[in-house]
Amino acid sequence: MKAVYSPLLLGIFGLFVACSTAPEFDAVLANARIAEFHGDSLSYQSVHLALRDGRIAAVVPAAVAVPSANDTTDLSGSFVYPGFIDAHAHFLALGQALETVDLVGTRSWAECVDRVRQYVADHPEVAVVRGRGWDQNDWANKAWPTSHALDGLTDKPIVLSRIDGHAVVCNQIALTQSEITAATRIDGGEILLAAGKPTGVLVDNAEILLRIAEPSREEKIRYLQAAERWCVELGLTGVHDAGLPTGDIMLIDSLQRAGALRMPLYVMVAESPEALDHWLDRGPLETDWLSVRSFKFYSDGALGSRGALLRAPYHDRHDHFGLALRDTKYLKSAADRLAKAGWQMNTHAIGDSANHLIINLYREALSARAAKKDLRWRVEHAQVVSPEDQILFGKGVVPSVQPTHATSDMDWAPDRLGAHRMPHAYAYRALREANDGWIPLGTDFPIEHPNPMYTILAATARRALDGHPAEGFQTENALTLAQTLKGMTTDAARAAFQESDRGEIRIGNWADFTIFEVNLNDITPLALPQTSPTQVWIHGARRK
Ligand SMILES: [Zn+2]
């Protein structure tokens, strides 16, 4: 039954329930104010939600008696939103980030080195010292760091990832173990040199050259469970992981089947020729907790490390256009295979040249298919997109964006792009309009903080956590609260082909809810980061 129960039916039904011994429902959330989207507007309805087998079994008007259940929670008018979904993140990496040297917010390279020194002293057990989060754009000296200061801290390899994951700085031990020298070359990557020697900085594909110990299975399980705890705490009821190798996907599946991991995940397979052969032969994997039917590709790097592929040179490096991470021929043949097999293709594209290439490559591969399948191929980030390419979104080519990237990058992006290209960047409203009025939203955690409230602040007010700029950044591309919430729920579900299952509070959908005591419409933008959900439900179970 898809409609809300009528009072008459409910009356009869209530009598029936009263006479029977076992309650009809597993759980009831009484006196809920549920959020409903109508087009681009948001309204609330007072109801009781009845759950059975992890799903919404009935939505009963609040004026009617509370249905009986094994377990009743009185929400006393709390605001119930469809469970928040992060449509682009790195779930395993979030857990791993918790066990690495945190370099986010450092003000200098010397401060990074100090934190590494402290970590080495505190963690004698680790085999590889990993850190992440440095950003030379935040330092007084904006030059790339060099590894000299790391040498002598430890006899273990040290690998420190830049905030965007598109560059690392490592010590000489890591370079030597990986046989990386001044003579090493790789397509789509750079090994930075000074006085003819590697400085320790590896950009984009050069990171693949590192040969240092992978985390163990036990460590990965710990990472996944830590990521789950943090996500639930923040109100997430689903995450799209933007690229994992097959081994990690199978580990997740086995943990979920054993009940040891209970976060619904939509996992993109990290592409490689072997992964394509394996999964296209095997077919998609679908359970109540996991969906695998897409591949993640990279077409370019990131803007901060000047790896994003631009159509005209960088404003602050005139001989440089960025890096193409994959050969176009390879991407084309992969696109043809995926279109034919009915898989979703999701490609990282930051620069306007990468976006131009991928949008057009998608359109060609999709239109070549006689049978017009609804494949929803995603352009991940769609960060700098020329106006003539922006309007090509829609009709099966979907922009997938992360609003906090706009407010994290806004202070230095003009250095890279120049003022003339800024209006083409972080243009979420324009992209949403081109895509027929929907857009999935994510954070790209751990590159950004996983808190979905930060996404709401960045998307609606276009302001950073500290409130700057007061007038908002390029607010012509701000989203409304309703558009933003829809992007984190209904649209995120749709980007994963799960709109018949989640993303709205509707009979038959999973009982996934993010619940606040306050109406999110009533919160001023700068109070959003201090607001957190009071309850979180996933597949019918209360988790917070
Ligand atoms: Zn990502």
Side-chain angles (χ1 to χ4, degrees):
M1 177 179 266
K2 289 277 173 194
V4 166
Y5 276 18
S6 80
L8 174 67
L9 266 177
L10 241 287
I12 295 165
F13 172 78
L15 274 177
F16 166 76
V17 171
C19 300
S20 68
T21 46
E24 179 82 355
F25 301 111
D26 299 331
V28 162
L29 280 72
N31 303 305
R33 270 187 275 202
I34 59 169
E36 290 182 334
F37 304 111
H38 304 278
D40 266 3
S41 70
L42 169 66
S43 63
Y44 298 91
Q45 200 190 152
S46 294
V47 302
H48 310 304
L49 289 166
L51 317 183
R52 194 190 303 118
D53 299 329
R55 293 181 183 266
I56 302 170
V59 180
V60 182
V64 175
V66 178
S68 74
N70 291 322
D71 179 37
T72 299
T73 305
D74 188 354
L75 292 181
S76 312
S78 283
F79 294 81
V80 180
Y81 297 85
F84 292 171
I85 300 166
D86 191 313
H88 180 123
H90 301 274
F91 188 73
L92 178 63
L94 180 70
Q96 183 169 12
L98 292 170
E99 293 194 15
T100 60
V101 194
D102 179 10
L103 302 173
V104 175
T106 46
R107 307 306 303 176
S108 66
W109 174 231
E111 189 184 346
C112 290
V113 175
D114 283 345
R115 289 198 196 177
V116 173
R117 184 180 294 113
Q118 189 60 48
Y119 182 90
V120 167
D122 294 347
H123 296 273
E125 76 284 2
V126 301
V128 177
V129 179
R130 297 174 196 275
R132 62 161 301 281
W134 58 272
D135 185 351
Q136 79 273 33
N137 294 312
D138 294 343
W139 305 341
N141 177 359
K142 298 193 178 353
W144 287 106
T146 57
S147 66
H148 301 298
L150 298 176
D151 296 329
L153 292 184
T154 172
D155 55 2
K156 296 166 185 171
I158 302 176
V159 182
L160 310 176
S161 293
R162 195 178 180 281
I163 183 78
D164 59 14
H166 284 267
V168 297
V169 55
C170 44
N171 63 352
Q172 187 56 48
I173 292 159
L175 292 179
T176 306
Q177 253 184 38
S178 311
E179 295 174 21
I180 296 171
T181 68
T184 310
R185 297 282 177 277
I186 184 162
D187 282 344
E190 281 193 286
I191 297 147
L192 300 194
L193 304 178
K197 287 192 175 141
T199 65
V201 174
L202 309 175
V203 181
D204 281 316
N205 280 354
E207 290 182 39
I208 303 166
L209 298 168
L210 281 174
R211 275 182 260 137
I212 48 172
E214 266 272 291
S216 67
R217 182 187 159 88
E218 286 62 39
E219 283 173 314
K220 285 182 178 175
I221 293 172
R222 214 165 62 222
Y223 299 159
L224 290 164
Q225 291 175 335
E228 173 177 317
R229 280 193 297 276
W230 199 7
C231 287
V232 168
E233 180 61 31
L234 293 172
L236 291 173
T237 66
V239 174
H240 299 186
D241 192 295
L244 285 176
T246 301
D248 291 344
I249 297 172
M250 299 326 289
L251 172 63
I252 286 171
D253 184 43
S254 71
L255 293 173
Q256 288 175 327
R257 285 177 198 270
L261 187 71
R262 293 187 307 138
M263 173 59 69
L265 296 172
Y266 183 80
V267 180
M268 308 172 197
V269 182
E271 67 92 2
S272 68
E274 302 73 40
L276 281 163
D277 288 345
H278 172 80
W279 285 94
L280 292 185
D281 184 41
R282 182 201 182 284
L285 169 58
E286 297 281 353
T287 73
D288 286 352
W289 295 91
L290 180 63
S291 174
V292 183
R293 54 177 297 174
S294 65
F295 281 89
K296 171 70 180 300
F297 292 74
Y298 283 86
S299 70
D300 67 346
L303 198 59
S305 42
R306 296 188 190 80
L309 194 63
L310 299 180
R311 302 174 92 170
Y314 274 75
H315 182 65
D316 55 1
R317 188 171 160 191
H318 290 231
D319 63 339
H320 188 67
F321 288 80
L323 298 169
L325 299 194
R326 268 296 192 193
D327 176 65
T328 305
K329 246 206 226 138
Y330 173 82
L331 289 171
K332 270 196 178 137
S333 81
D336 287 338
R337 280 181 79 184
L338 294 176
K340 199 164 157 199
W343 278 66
Q344 188 186 46
M345 181 164 178
N346 301 329
T347 309
H348 165 115
I350 301 254
D352 50 10
S353 177
N355 274 281
H356 180 76
L357 171 79
I358 296 303
I359 293 166
N360 285 291
L361 188 149
Y362 276 12
R363 283 161 55 90
E364 212 172 288
L366 291 170
S367 68
R369 287 288 110 208
K372 289 266 186 268
K373 286 185 215 138
D374 179 15
L375 297 182
R376 306 179 198 178
W377 283 9
R378 293 163 51 166
V379 179
E380 299 298 332
H381 311 307
Q383 213 166 79
V384 189
V385 189
S386 307
E388 67 269 28
D389 291 328
Q390 287 181 9
I391 56 173
L392 299 180
F393 278 107
K395 297 173 212 72
V397 181
V398 179
S400 165
V401 304
Q402 302 75 37
T404 44
H405 281 343
T407 47
S408 292
D409 299 1
M410 63 187 171
D411 296 326
W412 53 261
D415 297 345
R416 300 282 185 277
L417 296 173
H420 62 293
R421 277 181 290 202
M422 282 306 290
H424 313 164
Y426 315 97
Y428 307 141
R429 187 190 291 179
L431 296 176
R432 186 181 189 276
E433 274 167 24
N435 192 46
D436 309 316
W438 68 284
I439 194 165
L441 302 180
T443 61
D444 209 5
F445 68 64
I447 289 172
E448 300 282 353
H449 197 282
N451 192 336
M453 306 310 282
Y454 297 6
T455 297
I456 302 178
L457 170 65
T460 58
R462 306 269 287 190
R463 294 168 74 183
L465 289 182
D466 66 4
H468 92 286
E471 70 286 2
F473 161 72
Q474 298 186 176
T475 51
E476 65 280 10
N477 271 304
L479 303 178
T480 66
L481 177 68
Q483 290 169 342
T484 304
L485 289 170
K486 210 164 160 236
M488 295 159 57
T489 56
T490 316
D491 297 348
R494 187 169 170 187
F497 307 90
Q498 293 174 327
E499 69 273 21
S500 63
D501 218 26
R502 65 197 83 190
E504 279 182 84
I505 300 175
R506 193 175 59 203
I507 291 168
N509 276 10
W510 285 115
D512 295 349
F513 311 117
T514 306
I515 302 175
F516 295 83
E517 259 168 19
V518 286
N519 181 343
L520 293 183
N521 297 68
D522 295 340
I523 300 179
T524 56
L526 293 182
L528 284 163
Q530 288 80 50
T531 307
S532 60
T534 48
Q535 293 191 27
V536 178
W537 290 66
I538 299 177
H539 288 14
R542 182 171 177 181
R543 302 288 300 280
K544 178 182 177 179

